[in-house]
């Protein structure tokens, strides 16, 4: 699918609002325990452009702070069909807050 420059900019703007809190005040060493790497908006956009459409369910099994799902919703995905799984409870709670602002139900983000 093709994502317009307007939507790409909206994805980047939303990311910029979360970039400073997405690590949950964890040190680099703490993040490395979980192998945490948060997806920059440019990579989320590239991933979404590989989709045929955003009509079905979208699952991010390593959701982190929700960058890919946030980008998907901004690009037109139904928020109620976006799901994520995160091991780190601190990051999962941040993810829930972030995605709730975009209409994703908090219960769609699971902590495992």
């Amino acid at each position: 699918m093709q994502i317009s420059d307007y939507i790409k900019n909206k994805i980047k703007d939303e990311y910029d609002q979360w970039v400073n809190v997405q690590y949950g005040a964890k040190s680099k060493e703490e993040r490395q325990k979980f192998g945490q790497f948060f997806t920059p908006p440019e990579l989320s956009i590239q991933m979404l452009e590989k989709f045929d459409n955003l009509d079905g369910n979208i699952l991010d099994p390593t959701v982190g702070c929700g960058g890919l799902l946030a980008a998907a919703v901004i690009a037109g995905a139904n928020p109620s069909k976006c799901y994520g799984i995160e091991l780190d409870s601190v990051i999962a709670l941040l993810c829930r807050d972030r995605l709730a602002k975009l209409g994703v139900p908090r219960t769609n983000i699971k902590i495992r």
Side-chain angles (χ1 to χ4, degrees):
M1 69 180 273
Q2 185 68 22
I3 298 177
S4 71
D5 287 340
Y6 173 76
I7 296 297
K8 287 178 185 178
N9 287 329
K10 286 185 73 170
I11 290 169
K12 291 174 185 176
D13 290 344
E14 190 278 340
Y15 175 86
D16 288 344
Q17 294 173 27
W18 286 94
V19 70
N20 292 323
V21 297
Q22 69 182 351
Y23 289 116
K26 293 177 181 269
S27 70
K28 183 177 180 178
E29 292 76 25
E30 290 172 309
R31 294 191 316 263
Q32 286 177 335
K33 280 185 186 177
F34 284 99
Q36 293 172 329
F37 167 79
F38 295 100
T39 310
E42 296 80 10
L43 184 54
S44 293
I45 290 165
Q46 287 178 12
M47 292 165 64
L48 291 174
E49 288 182 328
K50 302 292 184 195
F51 284 51
D52 291 330
N53 61 61
L54 296 172
D55 296 338
N57 291 328
I58 300 172
L59 170 65
D60 186 340
T62 57
V63 72
C65 199
L68 177 62
L69 295 181
V73 170
I74 292 167
N78 180 338
S80 67
K81 293 183 174 184
C82 292
Y83 301 89
I85 302 168
E86 177 54 41
L87 295 173
D88 184 330
S89 61
V90 171
I91 300 302
L93 295 175
L94 288 171
C95 178
R96 286 178 177 171
D97 289 345
R98 178 184 188 177
L99 296 178
K101 292 181 182 212
L102 296 171
V104 176
R106 291 178 181 277
T107 56
N108 285 14
I109 306 305
K110 305 295 182 192
I111 303 169
R112 297 285 179 227

